[in-house]
């Protein structure tokens, strides 16, 4: 009898559990993408544009840390700063004054370099119109379930971005390229980030669906540099990318930050320019889009010991909990490799700082002692 | 599809605009017709009238006549106004609110964002003392010691010997037959191809001068050798006999020989030279650094080089001067303005002289941006040691090392009233233009007079017949005065031996005095010209001659000012009044005196005194005269040694042009 009741309890438990899992399977396919791609482009040459290369390499590092493999990253660098003759620290590229992290590192795979970085090549990579001889590492092999991150940096103007000091891409050309990608079913969703002067002008002509765009500055504004370094003799980064990366450092594959957090990156007080974003082409609510949908390659893996019967079409999960019943919580993802701890980019606080309010308290004490000793009437000697 | 859409959108945008334009055009035409009284009827009757109405200001005979009447009637007042406006404009250039602040244009150099770490100033000075000792022992350039020292610092060292016999002895520096050796060491860029180079030079001067400069040069070479970031070869050059050595080295480097000098070919070269600095230091501690920019023929280096120097002086905190004048902040006071005018005038005088005012001056001919940095010890409280100067040079060279192209972003034509402010060509040219327009106005006046005379009698053919004897009367003085000019150019140097034989003078005196003699002999020209002329000079004759001379002078001054503004402006300042007022009908003696006073030779004399005055070293007339003679000798020497063009320009073109006006004054 006892065993029977126990068994029935178990059965009941299993039954409810399997129902829950089948319900949450909808949440499992929530974001609608199965693979992630990144196209990271630095368009400017010359030693004094060191910062643009450092920008791109830093984004490359972050994206790679969050799980997009080299095979899914198309990295375009217009110049080789690491081996520039003027580099006092040969074979390195640094993005922070503390010189702790060499973003050029050991495993950087540059797909397009030097004079290969042209408008034509960039557009061909996007639209997939490459000659058959092109190796797979130089192709954007995305499909209709791909989320693509496109990051551009360089010198721009109102409605164009300069490539290599010799040509430029216009915002109309870029918008048409994206439309072509959409029609060729080359992306599911696309995140476009640009760090140039007047960057907002580059996304204002977009008209294809599912594109979210961010820019470092509005039309008529300059994007500014950051991290001047006297030893290397150039600026190491641009402001927007610097704060973007600072934000990305706190992101890990399972973090739940969404796009609205990204839009808050680098306010005018830090950037000097006004970062802009555009979401009207994007179908989902930015608040429900995770950062890792674009910056990481998060495989939705959840281990269950149960058999799932997915007979009926899967319902997309809603944001709110389905029912009031207490049910087993969803497995959260473990960090496969604790990369973010291994490569810790934040500068260490070297010297001790007194806690907040300590100084204030000290002053209050001093004032109190002063008035205790001399009395309030002596105030007139002070004022 | 989308492109098409866009295209049509643009088309829509532009279409109404075109309509608007055409409509406006129509209303304009109507207005014009309206003003010319009942235009519509006449237009329909006589199409010629319509053409007339659409003509410009000058093609409409009535309006042209009115304009010409105005210009001829008010010619003299307009000329006066132009002259004073030109001078006032020029003086206004030094007023700070009218000038622009200097700024670094070259993106590759960007800012002064460099960490200067040169540590070894004291050691450099010790090396300088060692150099001085060896120099004294050898009695000239210590070639062996220099080669050894440079080699010890890890440079590729080469020497170049040269010799040159001057056309006549230079009495200022006591040179006649010059023999010397240049020593230079090349620091190869460790990781870059050898396609570009920078030069740092220091002259090995006689006496105790510049030893510290050589010491610092060697110290910097030692320090630079240990850095990995050089993208250009750096050439450290110690040149003997300052400009002559530099000339030999540059000609050797570029495989040219423009002045007929003997030098041995260079054994080692770097890439094409992008920029050069010449260093002159004569004391261990200096109070300020002076930058010298004026080069041969008034060429200036790109303004960015001066900006770079100024930026680093500001950053490191070294007092820097230009023309030996410190920057002042009180531009709104009279003394502050005077200071700026003095600085600018000094630059104008130096530029006009066409000399190379430092060793850098010869680099400019090869389109190499170069400047001389002079250490000045004027016993102020503010002292700078050799380490600081070394750090300043290190910073400048690191920024020059970042260059990707030749310096070209900033101005090549400018005047500097102070190091922080500059006057670009667009601002100073109007001053010159106002002076030259006087010549054109006078020429227009003469042209009107000339064309009015024959039209009063007859038209067409007879006018040309009348002026045909004028051709000869114009051509004869033109040819004769140019022959005089050629004599002035050739004779002094050619006939120095003859002069020395017959007169108790030295060679240099012979050259200068011959030049003055030929110049003065030219004044007797009018009498000789008239003997050659067949008939008597007519009223038309001198007018045609003056017209030709005016236009000739205008073109001459215009071309000169384009190349060397200062020279053109100073010549215009003196020659334009002379050219404007001279006719055969003015009082002869007084006008002759004025004309001589305004002649090129007297301009030079005044300039010498004025220059001394500007430098706050006024001279007595006696000393001034001696200085004047030596300046003439220097000018001729500069031409033969380095190819300066001021002497031939004055002798072959400006002086003959002035002689034409002299001829007009004594027209019979």
């Amino acid at each position: 009898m006892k065993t029977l009741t126990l068994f029935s309890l178990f059965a009941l438990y299993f039954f409810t559990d399997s129902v829950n899992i089948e319900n949450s399977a909808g949440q499992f396919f929530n974001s609608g993408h199965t693979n992630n791609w990144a196209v990271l482009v630095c368009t400017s040459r010359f030693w004094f544009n060191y910062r643009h290369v450092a920008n791109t390499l830093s984004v490359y590092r972050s994206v790679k840390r969050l799980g997009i493999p080299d095979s899914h990253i198309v990295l375009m660098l217009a110049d080789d700063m690491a081996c520039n003759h003027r580099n006092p620290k040969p074979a390195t590229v640094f993005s922070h004054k503390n010189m702790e992290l060499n973003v050029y590192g050991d495993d950087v795979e540059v797909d397009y370099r030097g004079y290969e970085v042209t408008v034509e090549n960039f557009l061909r990579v996007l639209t997939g119109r490459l000659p058959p001889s092109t190796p797979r590492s130089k192709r954007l092999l995305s499909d209709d379930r791909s989320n693509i991150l496109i990051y551009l940096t360089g010198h721009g103007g109102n409605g164009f971005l300069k490539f290599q000091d010799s040509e430029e891409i216009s915002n109309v050309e870029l918008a048409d390229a994206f439309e072509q990608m959409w029609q060729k079913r080359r992306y599911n969703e696309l995140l476009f980030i640009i760090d140039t002067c007047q960057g907002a002008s580059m996304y204002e002509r977009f008209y294809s669906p599912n594109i979210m765009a961010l820019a470092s500055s509005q039309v008529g504004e300059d994007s500014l540099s950051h991290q001047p370094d006297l030893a290397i003799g150039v600026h190491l980064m641009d402001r927007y990318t610097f704060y973007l990366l600072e934000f990305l450092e706190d992101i890990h594959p399972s973090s739940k930050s969404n796009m609205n957090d990204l839009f808050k990156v680098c306010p005018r007080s830090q950037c000097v320019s006004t970062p802009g974003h555009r979401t009207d082409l994007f179908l989902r609510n930015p608040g429900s889009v995770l950062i890792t949908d674009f910056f990481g390659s998060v495989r939705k893996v959840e281990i269950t010991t149960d058999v799932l019967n997915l007979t009926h079409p899967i319902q997309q999960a809603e944001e709110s909990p389905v029912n009031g019943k207490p049910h087993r919580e969803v497995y959260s993802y473990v960090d496969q490799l604790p990369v973010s701890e291994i490569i810790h980019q934040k500068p260490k606080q070297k010297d001790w700082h007194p806690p907040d309010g300590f100084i204030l308290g000290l002053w209050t004490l001093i004032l109190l002692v002063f008035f205790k000793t001399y009395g309030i009437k002596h105030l007139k000697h002070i004022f | 599809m989308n492109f098409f859409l866009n295209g049509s959108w643009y088309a829509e945008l532009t279409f109404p605009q075109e309509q608007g334009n055409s409509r406006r055009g129509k209303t304009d035409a109507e207005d014009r017709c309206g003003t010319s009284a009942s235009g519509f009827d006449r237009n329909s009757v006589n199409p010629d009238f319509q053409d007339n109405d659409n003509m410009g200001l000058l093609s409409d005979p009535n309006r042209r006549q009115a304009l010409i009447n105005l210009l001829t009637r008010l010619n003299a007042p307009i000329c006066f106004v132009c002259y004073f406006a030109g001078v006032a404009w020029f003086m206004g250039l030094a007023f700070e609110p009218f000038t622009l602040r200097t700024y670094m244009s070259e993106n590759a150099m960007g800012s002064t964002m460099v960490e200067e770490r040169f540590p070894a100033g004291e050691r450099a000075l010790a090396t300088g003392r060692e150099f001085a000792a060896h120099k004294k022992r050898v009695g000239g350039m210590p070639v062996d010691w220099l080669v050894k020292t440079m080699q010890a610092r890890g440079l590729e060292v080469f020497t170049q010997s040269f010799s040159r016999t001057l056309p006549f002895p230079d009495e200022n520096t006591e040179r006649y037959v010059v023999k010397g050796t240049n020593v230079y060491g090349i620091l190869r860029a460790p990781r870059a191809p050898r396609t570009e180079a920078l030069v740092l030079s220091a002259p090995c001067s006689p006496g105790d001068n510049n030893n510290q400069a050589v010491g610092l040069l060697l110290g910097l070479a030692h320090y630079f050798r240990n850095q990995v970031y050089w993208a250009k070869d750096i050439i450290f050059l110690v040149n003997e006999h300052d400009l002559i050595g530099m000339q030999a080295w540059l000609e050797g480097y570029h495989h040219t020989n423009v002045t007929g000098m003997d030098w041995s070919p260079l054994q080692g070269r770097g890439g094409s030279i992008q920029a050069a600095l010449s260093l002159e230091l004569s004391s261990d501690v200096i109070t300020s650094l002076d930058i010298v920019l004026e080069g041969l023929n008034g060429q200036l280096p790109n303004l960015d080089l001066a900006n770079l120097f100024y930026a680093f002086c500001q950053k490191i905190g070294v007092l820097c001067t230009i023309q030996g004048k410190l920057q002042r902040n009180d531009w709104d006071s009279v003394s502050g303005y005077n200071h700026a005018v003095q600085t600018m005038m000094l630059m104008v005088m130096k530029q006009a002289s066409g000399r190379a005012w430092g060793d850098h001056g010869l680099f400019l001919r090869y389109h190499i941006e170069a400047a001389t940095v002079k250490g000045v010890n004027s016993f102020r409280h503010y002292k700078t040691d050799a380490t600081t100067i070394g750090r300043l040079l290190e910073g400048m060279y690191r920024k020059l090392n970042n260059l990707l192209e030749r310096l070209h972003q900033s101005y090549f034509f400018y005047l500097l009233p102070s190091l922080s402010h500059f006057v670009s060509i667009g601002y100073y040219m109007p001053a010159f233009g106002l002076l030259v327009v006087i010549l054109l106005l006078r020429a227009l006046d003469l042209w009107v007079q000339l064309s009015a005379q024959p039209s009063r009698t007859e038209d067409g053919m007879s006018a040309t017949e009348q002026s045909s004897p004028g051709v000869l009367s114009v051509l004869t003085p033109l040819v004769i005065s140019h022959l005089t000019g050629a004599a002035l150019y050739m004779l002094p140097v050619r006939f120095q031996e003859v002069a020395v034989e017959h007169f108790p003078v030295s060679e240099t005196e012979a050259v200068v005095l011959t030049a003055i003699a030929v110049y003065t002999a030219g004044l007797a020209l009018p009498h000789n010209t008239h003997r050659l002329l067949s008939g008597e000079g007519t009223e038309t004759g001198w007018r045609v001659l003056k017209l030709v001379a005016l236009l000739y002078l205008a073109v001459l001054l215009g071309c000169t000012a384009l190349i060397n503004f200062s020279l053109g402006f100073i010549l215009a300042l003196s020659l334009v009044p002379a050219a404007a007022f001279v006719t055969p009908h003015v009082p002869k003696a007084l006008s002759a005196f004025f004309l001589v006073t305004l002649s090129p030779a007297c301009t030079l004399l005044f300039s010498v005194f004025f220059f001394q005055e500007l430098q706050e070293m006024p001279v007595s007339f006696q000393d001034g005269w001696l200085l004047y003679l030596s300046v003439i000798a220097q000018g001729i020497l500069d031409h033969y040694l380095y190819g300066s063009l001021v002497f031939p320009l004055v002798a072959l073109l400006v002086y003959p042009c002035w002689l034409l006006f002299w001829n007009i004054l004594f027209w019979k």
Side-chain angles (χ1 to χ4, degrees):
Chain A
M1 184 64 200
K2 204 177 180 180
T3 50
L4 192 74
T5 46
L6 253 179
F7 179 76
S8 63
L9 262 173
F10 254 105
L12 185 73
Y13 182 79
F14 265 116
F15 177 73
T16 50
D17 194 42
S18 68
V19 164
N20 276 339
I21 287 175
E22 269 160 35
N23 282 344
S24 62
Q27 187 199 20
F28 199 74
F29 295 108
N30 186 358
S31 66
H33 74 283
T34 58
N35 55 61
N36 277 83
W37 287 81
V39 181
L40 313 174
V41 190
C42 155
T43 64
S44 28
R45 293 184 72 72
F46 305 135
W47 174 242
F48 58 90
N49 291 322
Y50 185 97
R51 59 184 187 279
H52 293 152
V53 174
N55 281 347
T56 316
L57 281 171
S58 310
V59 174
Y60 169 79
R61 261 200 70 265
S62 293
V63 163
K64 215 166 144 180
R65 175 174 68 77
L66 290 169
I68 305 185
D70 261 331
S71 59
H72 281 208
I73 302 176
V74 181
L75 179 61
M76 303 174 107
L77 294 183
D79 205 348
D80 183 5
M81 289 309 160
C83 297
N84 195 299
H85 324 305
R86 296 168 181 87
N87 196 341
K89 297 177 165 57
T92 57
V93 176
F94 288 98
S95 65
H96 198 289
K97 275 190 282 201
N98 62 16
M99 299 289 158
E100 278 181 11
L101 182 69
N102 169 20
V103 285
Y104 203 62
D106 299 326
D107 54 347
V108 173
E109 193 183 302
V110 185
D111 299 303
Y112 288 82
R113 55 181 278 261
Y115 288 117
E116 287 179 334
V117 183
T118 57
V119 173
E120 183 184 345
N121 276 349
F122 176 60
L123 290 180
R124 281 185 185 281
V125 165
L126 289 186
T127 53
R129 296 176 184 276
L130 286 159
S133 59
T134 314
R136 287 177 69 85
S137 65
K138 288 188 159 196
R139 287 169 183 269
L140 182 69
L141 296 165
S142 56
D143 53 30
D144 60 340
R145 304 300 267 173
S146 305
N147 273 11
I148 304 182
L149 164 71
I150 292 179
Y151 174 84
L152 296 174
T153 182
H155 289 288
N158 192 351
F160 68 89
L161 170 65
K162 195 172 78 167
F163 268 66
Q164 298 266 11
D165 244 31
S166 57
E167 52 180 353
E168 58 269 327
I169 187 171
S170 74
N171 49 3
V172 179
E173 279 174 294
L174 196 62
D176 289 342
F178 287 155
E179 174 63 16
Q180 207 176 112
M181 284 174 81
W182 175 250
Q183 287 181 9
K184 291 178 80 177
R185 311 188 70 171
R186 284 175 65 78
Y187 70 84
N188 170 46
E189 285 168 340
L190 198 148
L191 178 65
F192 176 81
I193 300 182
I194 186 162
D195 187 349
T196 67
C197 296
Q198 318 205 30
S201 66
M202 282 307 281
Y203 62 59
E204 63 190 14
R205 292 292 173 89
F206 291 174
Y207 54 94
S208 315
N210 280 349
I211 297 182
M212 193 182 312
L214 287 98
S216 61
S217 53
Q218 296 298 328
V219 177
E221 277 183 343
D222 283 346
S223 223
L224 295 166
S225 54
H226 201 248
Q227 302 279 328
D229 187 89
L230 291 177
I232 299 181
V234 284
H235 286 273
L236 299 186
M237 270 212 132
D238 280 317
R239 277 172 184 274
Y240 182 73
T241 309
F242 180 81
Y243 290 106
L244 175 72
L245 288 167
E246 203 174 69
F247 169 76
L248 286 180
E249 274 313 303
D250 296 332
I251 304 287
H252 46 89
S254 57
S255 60
K256 294 283 173 252
S257 311
N258 58 40
M259 284 298 159
N260 281 336
D261 300 327
L262 186 64
F263 296 155
K264 287 182 206 134
V265 163
C266 201
R268 207 185 150 76
S269 56
Q270 289 176 321
C271 252
V272 184
S273 59
T274 323
H277 56 84
R278 184 175 168 191
T279 52
D280 57 326
L281 296 168
F282 206 72
L283 299 181
R284 287 196 284 156
N285 173 18
S288 70
V289 182
L290 298 180
I291 300 292
T292 49
D293 280 359
F294 290 100
F295 281 95
S297 179
V298 176
R299 296 274 175 277
K300 296 268 180 181
V301 179
E302 208 164 311
I303 300 156
T304 176
T305 48
D306 311 312
V307 179
L308 289 185
N309 294 318
L310 300 175
T311 46
H312 51 272
I314 298 159
Q315 299 292 313
Q316 293 274 309
E318 288 90 54
E319 249 85 302
S320 57
V322 191
N323 41 29
K325 271 192 212 167
H327 60 82
R328 236 174 68 184
E329 61 186 59
V330 180
Y331 290 113
S332 62
Y333 304 111
V334 201
D335 276 344
Q336 300 286 310
L337 276 171
V339 194
S340 57
E341 278 122 85
I342 296 170
I343 315 163
H344 187 69
Q345 211 177 355
K346 275 202 168 170
K348 286 182 209 98
Q349 294 245 313
K350 281 191 181 101
D351 35 16
W352 179 82
H353 287 291
D356 293 344
F358 177 78
I359 306 274
L360 203 68
L362 206 65
W363 271 109
T364 324
L365 201 71
I366 291 169
L367 286 177
L368 272 177
V369 169
F370 179 80
F371 288 128
K372 207 79 186 165
T373 356
Y374 296 105
I376 203 85
K377 63 180 179 207
H378 286 276
L379 266 184
K380 64 171 184 282
H381 296 301
I382 301 169
F383 298 115
Chain B
M1 178 65 194
N2 187 60
F3 285 117
F4 285 115
L5 271 176
N6 273 330
S8 64
W9 180 62
Y10 279 123
E12 271 173 21
L13 252 184
T14 49
F15 185 56
Q17 221 174 347
E18 274 172 13
Q19 272 186 332
N21 273 343
S22 61
R23 205 181 302 136
R24 205 188 312 137
K26 211 182 285 173
T27 50
D28 268 5
E30 280 168 16
D31 283 352
R32 244 183 280 142
C33 293
T35 50
S36 64
S38 66
F40 264 106
D41 292 349
R42 263 197 219 164
N43 283 345
S44 55
V45 177
N46 190 353
D48 285 350
F49 257 91
Q50 197 181 5
D51 284 346
N52 236 346
D53 282 347
N54 288 334
M55 274 180 182
L57 185 64
L58 286 176
S59 23
D60 177 1
N62 291 327
R63 286 179 196 177
R64 186 170 65 186
Q65 198 55 51
L67 187 70
I68 286 168
N69 283 342
L70 190 76
L71 282 181
T72 45
R73 209 173 54 234
L74 294 177
N75 202 289
I78 292 178
C79 287
F80 271 108
V81 168
C82 278
Y83 190 80
F84 289 112
V87 174
W89 186 294
F90 180 74
M91 297 308 285
L93 292 178
F95 190 49
E96 202 175 297
F98 296 162
T99 57
L100 297 173
R101 276 199 84 81
T102 50
Y103 55 91
M104 198 97 88
S105 301
E106 178 57 69
N107 214 352
M109 293 201 299
S111 58
T112 53
M113 195 163 50
V114 158
E115 193 174 36
E116 301 90 357
R117 288 186 299 198
F118 175 69
E122 286 308 312
R123 233 171 83 189
L125 291 179
T127 320
R129 283 191 283 274
E130 206 178 324
F131 170 76
H134 281 89
K135 189 164 89 172
K136 200 174 252 175
R137 216 187 55 205
V138 181
M141 181 101 154
V143 177
D144 295 332
W145 181 82
L146 264 177
V147 169
K148 216 186 295 167
T149 320
M150 281 190 176
Q151 267 165 354
R153 276 155 179 71
L155 307 179
E156 288 179 28
V157 190
F158 306 95
T159 57
Q160 181 203 28
S161 54
F162 59 89
S163 67
R164 171 87 168 131
T165 310
L166 272 54
F168 55 90
D170 183 355
E171 290 190 341
N172 283 357
T173 50
E174 290 171 358
R175 285 178 188 158
Y176 186 48
V177 181
V178 178
K179 276 199 174 71
T181 314
N182 293 325
V183 180
Y184 64 103
I186 305 177
L187 162 60
R188 298 290 181 191
R191 289 182 286 146
R194 302 170 173 185
T195 50
E196 290 176 345
L198 301 172
V199 172
L200 177 60
S201 79
C204 169
S205 321
D208 263 348
N209 289 329
N210 280 332
N211 298 329
Q212 284 83 354
V214 176
L216 190 56
L217 175 123
L218 292 171
L220 280 172
H222 183 62
Y223 173 74
F224 282 3
R225 177 73 175 76
N226 295 324
Q227 309 305 318
V228 293
Y229 44 65
W230 299 114
K232 300 177 187 350
D233 295 348
I234 300 180
I235 303 176
F236 296 91
L237 166 68
V238 181
N239 54 316
E240 205 178 356
H241 300 301
D242 41 65
L243 278 170
I244 297 180
M246 191 55 92
Q247 169 87 4
W249 189 80
L250 279 170
E251 289 192 347
Y253 199 90
H254 294 99
H255 302 300
T256 55
N257 198 339
V258 284
T259 52
M261 196 172 181
D262 289 325
W263 37 259
S264 61
L266 298 189
Q267 297 302 315
R269 295 177 78 254
S272 80
I273 303 173
Q274 305 290 302
L277 284 184
S278 176
L279 190 61
E280 291 181 18
L281 287 183
S282 295
S283 65
D284 289 358
V285 173
I286 61 141
T287 51
S288 62
L289 282 177
D290 188 51
I291 186 164
V292 185
L293 299 169
E294 300 85 3
L296 193 71
N297 291 326
Q299 266 185 300
L300 299 170
N302 195 282
L303 186 56
D304 264 343
L305 197 65
N307 293 342
L308 186 69
F309 172 75
Y310 181 60
F312 271 100
C313 283
Q314 297 285 97
K315 184 192 172 192
I316 296 183
V318 180
L319 282 185
C320 54
T321 59
I322 186 158
Q323 324 294 357
K325 305 267 183 205
L326 271 174
Q327 176 101 14
R328 279 175 65 156
N329 292 324
D330 54 340
W331 56 266
D332 45 352
S333 70
V334 176
S335 66
Y337 172 70
N338 273 343
H339 188 80
V341 170
Q342 255 184 356
T343 316
M344 191 179 74
M345 282 295 193
L346 271 171
M347 178 160 187
V348 167
M349 303 303 285
K350 282 187 179 178
Q351 198 190 6
S353 75
R355 296 191 62 192
W357 286 84
D359 281 356
H360 72 282
L362 299 176
F363 280 97
L364 298 170
R365 171 189 282 154
Y366 302 94
H367 196 348
I368 298 165
E369 309 315 317
T372 297
V373 176
K374 266 187 190 157
V376 180
N377 192 357
S378 54
F379 310 106
R380 288 199 191 88
H381 292 299
Y382 196 91
K383 304 255 189 248
T384 309
D385 61 347
T387 312
T388 316
I389 304 165
R391 284 172 54 219
L392 182 118
L393 289 171
E394 184 203 349
M396 285 182 75
Y397 271 83
R398 260 199 88 176
K399 279 295 156 188
L400 290 171
N401 179 49
N402 281 359
L403 281 183
L404 297 156
E405 305 161 272
R406 285 177 185 282
L407 284 171
H408 66 281
Q409 300 274 8
S410 196
Y411 295 86
F412 284 100
F413 297 95
Y414 54 86
L415 296 175
L416 290 170
S418 70
L419 255 180
S420 64
H421 285 82
F422 74 102
V423 181
S424 75
I425 183 167
Y427 286 82
Y428 65 59
M429 262 317 188
F432 175 77
L434 282 168
L435 294 188
V436 167
V437 87
I438 295 172
L439 298 177
L440 299 180
L441 281 174
R442 299 303 290 180
L444 183 75
D445 189 28
L446 279 175
W447 177 257
V448 170
Q449 285 176 18
L450 281 170
S451 59
Q453 279 173 343
S455 68
R456 224 181 291 141
T457 54
E458 261 176 278
D459 56 15
M461 297 301 289
S462 65
T464 50
E465 276 168 31
Q466 257 193 352
S467 69
S468 60
V471 171
L472 195 66
S473 67
V474 169
L475 213 57
T476 324
L478 211 60
V479 170
I480 290 180
S481 58
H482 275 91
L483 286 177
T484 321
L488 178 60
Y489 176 66
M490 309 283 277
L491 291 186
V493 176
R494 286 284 166 84
F495 283 87
Q496 48 173 318
E497 285 96 4
V498 184
V500 170
E501 270 176 34
H502 290 87
F503 300 100
V505 285
S506 72
E507 276 97 341
T508 320
E509 283 169 336
V511 170
V512 175
L513 293 179
T514 316
I516 294 176
V518 174
Y519 191 92
T520 323
L523 300 187
L525 198 65
H527 310 285
N528 307 330
T529 319
H530 288 302
R531 268 183 221 154
L532 283 173
L533 279 178
S534 48
E536 277 199 356
T538 55
E539 229 9 52
T540 330
W542 76 260
R543 287 214 167 94
V544 174
L545 179 61
K546 189 175 174 188
L547 179 63
V548 169
L550 280 172
L551 294 177
Y552 181 30
L553 185 62
V555 171
L556 181 62
L557 289 179
C559 294
T560 311
L562 280 183
I563 300 163
N564 184 345
F565 164 77
S566 305
L567 184 61
F569 187 77
I570 290 177
L571 285 176
L573 221 50
S574 63
L575 287 178
V576 164
F581 88 90
V582 76
T583 61
H585 308 305
V586 287
K588 285 275 183 314
L590 193 65
S591 311
F593 174 72
F594 267 121
L595 214 55
V596 169
T597 315
L598 294 173
S599 79
C602 286
T603 312
L604 180 62
L605 183 64
F606 299 142
S607 300
V608 168
F609 282 105
F610 185 53
F611 184 67
Q612 292 298 320
E613 204 65 42
L614 281 175
Q615 284 198 316
E616 289 158 5
M617 290 189 290
V619 286
S620 65
F621 186 79
Q622 196 66 37
D623 294 343
W625 177 254
L626 290 178
L627 199 59
Y628 174 64
L629 296 184
S630 82
V631 162
I632 294 175
Q634 277 301 318
I636 297 173
L637 264 183
D638 275 355
H639 171 60
Y640 284 103
L641 285 183
Y642 317 118
S644 156
L645 291 174
V646 176
F647 172 57
L649 177 84
V650 171
L652 294 174
L653 297 171
V654 178
Y655 173 62
C657 192
W658 177 83
L659 274 183
L660 289 179
F661 294 107
W662 183 255
N663 254 322
I664 293 164
L665 182 63
F666 293 103
W667 191 267
K668 278 179 198 149

